Amino acid sequence: DQQVKQNSPSLSVQEGRISILNCDYTNSMFDYFLWYKKYPAEGPTFLISISSIKDKNEDGRFTVFLNKSAKHLSLHIVPSQPGDSAVYFCAASGWVQGAQKLVFGQGTRLTINP
Amino acid sequence: EPEVTQTPSHQVTQMGQEVILRCVPISNHLYFYWYRQILGQKVEFLVSFYNNEISEKSEIFDDQFSVERPDGSNFTLKIRSTKLEDSAMYFCASTPRGGGANVLTFGAGSRLTVL
């Protein structure tokens, strides 16, 4: 039961261009969404989040867009830099079946080419 | 910046052996979590812990798994009799409060290899 899906296992982008990572969710009870970034041999680190009452949140080069009707969110990185190369996990949080849950997607490996 | 620390970074064990993975959460955090990531797969929730008891666990967290906070600083995950399919990265995380809008701070992970 994949409640949070990242359908692209990998993405390759030229340095300086925009990177767009996508995430879909199935459960309408999710009300908070997060993106985590993970480098090899490290734990996931928080990048940016968005509440379901918003449709956009921006932090520097990173912007997250939420389309509730489509149950879709995306992370835009512009301009992309080599240090952005990492695995990006989308996560959704909410009360599901009587418990607070945080569910991760499978991750997308982003490679920024110089 | 405060961080969650985990030991060991890598453990290799024989199938059927007991393994204890250790975590030191951020000192003023109250909620603790274990997640795991099997190679190439998504990060999966195992268990959450608050006020010295399990608050929630997933179906992965069966009787072979246990958690405890033995001394007020360490938070441990024990696997009683490891199976091949327990091979994964195990991540500890903590938050100062519960609730979905709280950001988990993860440790660097402990890689468990079961032979």
Side-chain angles (χ1 to χ4, degrees):
Chain A
D1 176 22
Q2 283 194 311
Q3 297 190 63
V4 179
K5 293 184 189 178
Q6 294 175 255
N7 290 319
S8 299
S10 63
L11 177 67
S12 189
V13 174
Q14 202 73 22
E15 181 179 0
R17 298 287 188 110
I18 184 170
S19 297
I20 300 176
L21 297 102
N22 293 302
C23 178
D24 296 294
Y25 62 97
T26 56
N27 197 322
S28 57
M29 296 304 291
F30 290 136
D31 58 5
Y32 196 74
F33 305 90
L34 308 94
W35 285 94
Y36 282 82
K37 176 179 178 179
K38 185 183 179 304
Y39 292 118
E42 295 184 14
T45 55
F46 170 72
L47 189 58
I48 192 169
S49 63
I50 188 166
S51 164
S52 60
I53 62 173
K54 294 188 174 182
D55 55 20
K56 177 182 173 182
N57 187 28
E58 191 172 350
D59 183 3
R61 296 185 298 114
F62 303 91
T63 303
V64 56
F65 294 92
L66 175 63
N67 182 335
K68 281 183 63 180
S69 60
K71 294 192 179 68
H72 176 84
L73 64 154
S74 60
L75 174 68
H76 293 211
I77 307 173
V78 56
S80 301
Q81 298 173 354
D84 296 329
S85 295
V87 177
Y88 289 78
F89 290 97
C90 167
S93 174
W95 283 95
V96 178
Q97 296 175 327
Q100 185 72 43
K101 291 192 184 294
L102 179 68
V103 180
F104 284 84
Q106 308 95 309
T108 297
R109 180 177 301 279
L110 175 65
T111 303
I112 306 301
N113 301 308
Chain B
E1 186 175 328
E3 58 181 26
V4 175
T5 56
Q6 291 185 241
T7 55
S9 56
H10 188 192
Q11 180 153 359
V12 181
T13 191
Q14 294 290 325
M15 191 169 58
Q17 295 296 303
E18 177 182 283
V19 160
I20 297 176
L21 305 178
R22 291 181 168 81
C23 170
V24 179
I26 293 173
S27 61
N28 63 344
H29 284 191
L30 301 177
Y31 292 78
F32 314 114
Y33 308 82
W34 283 101
Y35 284 79
R36 79 172 185 191
Q37 184 187 20
I38 295 171
L39 186 64
Q41 298 185 24
K42 64 179 180 177
V43 176
E44 299 174 292
F45 170 75
L46 292 178
V47 65
S48 59
F49 192 86
Y50 169 70
N51 201 25
N52 284 322
E53 61 183 27
I54 291 174
S55 48
E56 193 190 346
K57 60 183 180 180
S58 72
E59 58 269 17
I60 302 168
F61 194 88
D62 61 22
D63 292 344
Q64 293 299 314
F65 291 88
S66 63
V67 289
E68 64 175 2
R69 197 147 189 255
D71 57 13
S73 62
N74 288 286
F75 177 51
T76 62
L77 174 69
K78 183 193 290 187
I79 309 174
R80 267 183 263 285
S81 176
T82 50
K83 303 186 284 287
L84 295 176
E85 53 266 37
D86 294 327
S87 295
M89 281 291 287
Y90 288 81
F91 293 104
C92 174
S94 68
T95 61
R97 308 171 282 284
N102 289 290
V103 173
L104 272 65
T105 301
F106 286 88
S110 293
R111 179 175 297 283
L112 176 63
T113 301
V114 182
L115 302 176

